[in-house]
Amino acid sequence: MYRAWGVETGKTYVEAETQEDVWKMLLIKFPTYTKFKDKRGQVRASAIYPEALKITKLN
């Protein structure tokens, strides 16, 4: 089991069996994103989360 939780509040946002499932569920829960250009001028997208998230493996 993996858990995505907020660094500032300690709130659990998503729990799933695999790390890939956690990322998929986060994309569904927070579908908004912002576009930006990287150093090479390529357009990239970054998801907007309410706070910094950390993904940890549960024992």
Side-chain angles (χ1 to χ4, degrees):
M1 285 292 285
Y2 288 85
R3 174 186 291 155
W5 53 277
V7 174
E8 295 168 15
T9 61
K11 177 183 173 188
T12 298
Y13 287 96
V14 172
E15 281 188 2
E17 288 293 323
T18 66
Q19 203 166 0
E20 289 177 4
D21 289 343
V22 169
W23 283 112
K24 288 176 187 173
M25 290 170 75
L26 283 173
L27 286 173
I28 293 168
K29 194 166 187 175
F30 303 108
T32 56
Y33 63 94
T34 181
K35 286 185 180 179
F36 64 96
K37 287 191 176 184
D38 64 8
K39 294 176 185 173
R40 291 181 274 162
Q42 294 179 333
V43 176
R44 307 241 179 211
S46 178
I48 300 172
Y49 302 119
E51 62 178 316
L53 299 179
K54 200 167 201 174
I55 297 176
T56 54
K57 185 173 184 175
L58 305 175
N59 293 337

